[in-house]
Amino acid sequence: MSVESSTLTELAGDLTKEKIWSYRDEIIQLGFELSEVALIEALPASGKSRGSIQWAADTGNKMTLLAPRHSLLDEEYEPWCDKFDLTSRRLASFYRDCESFTKTDEGGYEPIDPVAEDLMDDYQQGIDGKHVHAQHRDSTCQQDGECPYLENLSFDPDEYDVLLGTYRHAHVEEWIDGRYVVFDEFPGSAFLKTFNGDTEDIISAYLQEIDDLPFSSYRDLLRHHRDKDVQDDIESWKTNLHESLTDSTHVRQSTNPSVHTMAPLATLAVIEEESLENDWQYSILGNGRRAVLNPNSNNWTFLLPPDVSSAPRKWP
Ligand SMILES: [Zn+2]
């Protein structure tokens, strides 16, 4: 559902800052009243972001605000929360908070030592930050007490009016549950994942590690997943799949560098694939998740939208 601000025709005659802000506030209110996701489109500098925080202050509703960059949270949202007397908390961010990483001049993060490189490798294989730290207790960030990243994970969301994070924080239900969720800017590409040619290796590494499916590799899966005699095994594997379609067990057990927690999702994409007329492959994976295979690059891309169903469906 889109809520459009058709400012030009309605306001052009007598356009004042106050009128724009008033109209903005109406649109934001309307967006929160909808029982579905609302997209608010408005001109830059019309105050959509500030207006969202002001709405939280005016209504007393708890909010989780997710921005594309930490700098926006630093420079805009934290000061606005202060201005409107709202208690806010920055959600834990692996690279930003963990002392095993240091910021580069380009704005990225790099490991400070070899153990930090191991932390990073495991994290990039899809293991969550908490487990990564548990696997590498000798990391520098854990030598003088708990790593600041881990410390920052433990808190009661109810104690804060506004939680401030980036798009990937939308995947943590505890930080969304019962709160109004605002995405600053458009998060579309943030929820796409492409393995850039690694999908075959990821699936092969998974199939070699598990016993539930009768395939030895990606190629074997591709050739035989429609065979009659494997359908029972596939159905049984699908029944036992964790709803998140991720699996960290095989990642922890295997020494294969290609392992990834998203391997079950990628395997399911191959099993469920349907061919489109333009030669692309397409798979529906449940809970809004989709996968497509680009026949030119042979790359799978996954759409993994966060489940925000635990946020309020409608403003009371
Ligand atoms: Zn750490």
Side-chain angles (χ1 to χ4, degrees), residues 15 19 31 64 83 89 91 103 111 117 130 136 164-165 168 178 189 207 210 222 228 233 255 277 298 312:
L15 194 61
K19 276 199 171 178
T64 296
K83 181 177 165 54
R89 183 177 178 110
L91 295 171
K103 203 165 185 181
E117 283 176 27
K130 213 183 220 177
H136 300 284
L164 297 170
R168 64 182 302 154
S189 59
L207 293 173
I210 64 161
L222 214 52
K228 258 189 180 168
D233 285 334
T255 54
E277 283 186 9
N298 207 28

Side-chain angles (χ1 to χ4, degrees), residues 98 133 141 147:
C98 173
H133 278 81
C141 59
C147 169

Side-chain angles (χ1 to χ4, degrees), residues 63-84:
M63 177 179 284
T64 296
L65 191 136
L66 306 173
R69 297 177 298 281
H70 283 290
S71 58
L72 274 176
L73 303 174
D74 294 334
E75 293 159 17
E76 299 192 8
Y77 285 106
E78 280 193 329
W80 283 331
C81 286
D82 291 343
K83 181 177 165 54
F84 291 117

Side-chain angles (χ1 to χ4, degrees), residues 103-142:
K103 203 165 185 181
T104 64
D105 292 340
E106 293 77 41
Y109 291 89
E110 62 185 12
I112 59 168
D113 55 26
V115 185
E117 283 176 27
D118 293 340
L119 279 177
M120 188 173 74
D121 288 346
D122 287 358
Y123 189 67
Q124 288 179 347
Q125 286 178 334
I127 298 179
D128 70 67
K130 213 183 220 177
H131 286 95
V132 161
H133 278 81
Q135 279 178 262
H136 300 284
R137 292 202 188 278
D138 56 341
S139 63
T140 301
C141 59
Q142 300 185 89

